[in-house]
Amino acid sequence: MRKVVAFALLIIEYCEILETNKKYIIANQLLKSGTSIGAHIHEAQNAESRADFIHKLKIAAKELEETKYWVTLCERSKQYENPAVLKEPFNELALILYKILSSSYKSK
């Protein structure tokens, strides 16, 4: 849980930089998707069943992929602050989330 909270905090900090540079639309989209990953993972911890647990983690994975899209746009645009600080934490979080999902499917 610490990693997902730390990632959300990095997202918030990066989005504040975007907002300072008047990049409001991307900042808003990235803020929503980047912080909702952790919300869905937290919600999965109180799932009503294994199927509910997997479903909530799949939603978190979708949000992770959306976040990747927005970060990629920022990374490739010359007018946006480089999001390099997000890369390593993103990759770590992705590995953990996909490993949990993979293990959950196998133990069905």
Side-chain angles (χ1 to χ4, degrees):
M1 280 299 115
R2 286 183 298 170
K3 287 188 185 287
V4 75
V5 170
F7 182 71
L9 292 172
L10 286 174
I11 288 287
I12 291 167
E13 289 174 17
Y14 180 73
C15 288
E16 287 174 352
I17 292 168
L18 292 181
E19 288 177 354
T20 299
N21 294 323
K22 299 181 181 176
K23 307 296 184 189
Y24 303 114
I25 295 171
I26 300 292
N28 188 40
Q29 294 292 331
L30 180 58
L31 184 63
K32 286 179 183 180
S33 66
T35 56
S36 70
I37 298 164
H40 290 293
I41 291 172
H42 276 272
E43 191 177 345
Q45 291 183 337
N46 291 307
E48 296 174 9
S49 65
R50 177 177 295 281
D52 188 38
F53 176 77
I54 291 171
H55 175 72
K56 287 175 179 11
L57 287 183
K58 284 172 70 176
I59 295 170
K62 286 180 178 185
E63 295 294 337
L64 185 81
E65 291 302 320
E66 181 180 343
T67 299
K68 181 179 180 180
Y69 173 76
W70 297 120
V71 169
T72 299
L73 287 181
C74 293
E75 184 177 61
R76 293 184 183 176
S77 175
K78 293 178 180 140
Q79 291 83 27
Y80 282 75
E81 180 82 21
N82 189 326
V85 69
L86 301 174
K87 286 299 218 178
E88 186 178 334
F90 177 90
N91 290 334
E92 288 176 7
L93 188 55
L95 285 172
I96 292 167
L97 181 57
Y98 288 123
K99 179 66 177 173
I100 293 168
L101 272 170
S102 175
S103 297
S104 298
Y105 285 128
K106 288 178 184 175
S107 63
K108 267 182 138 177

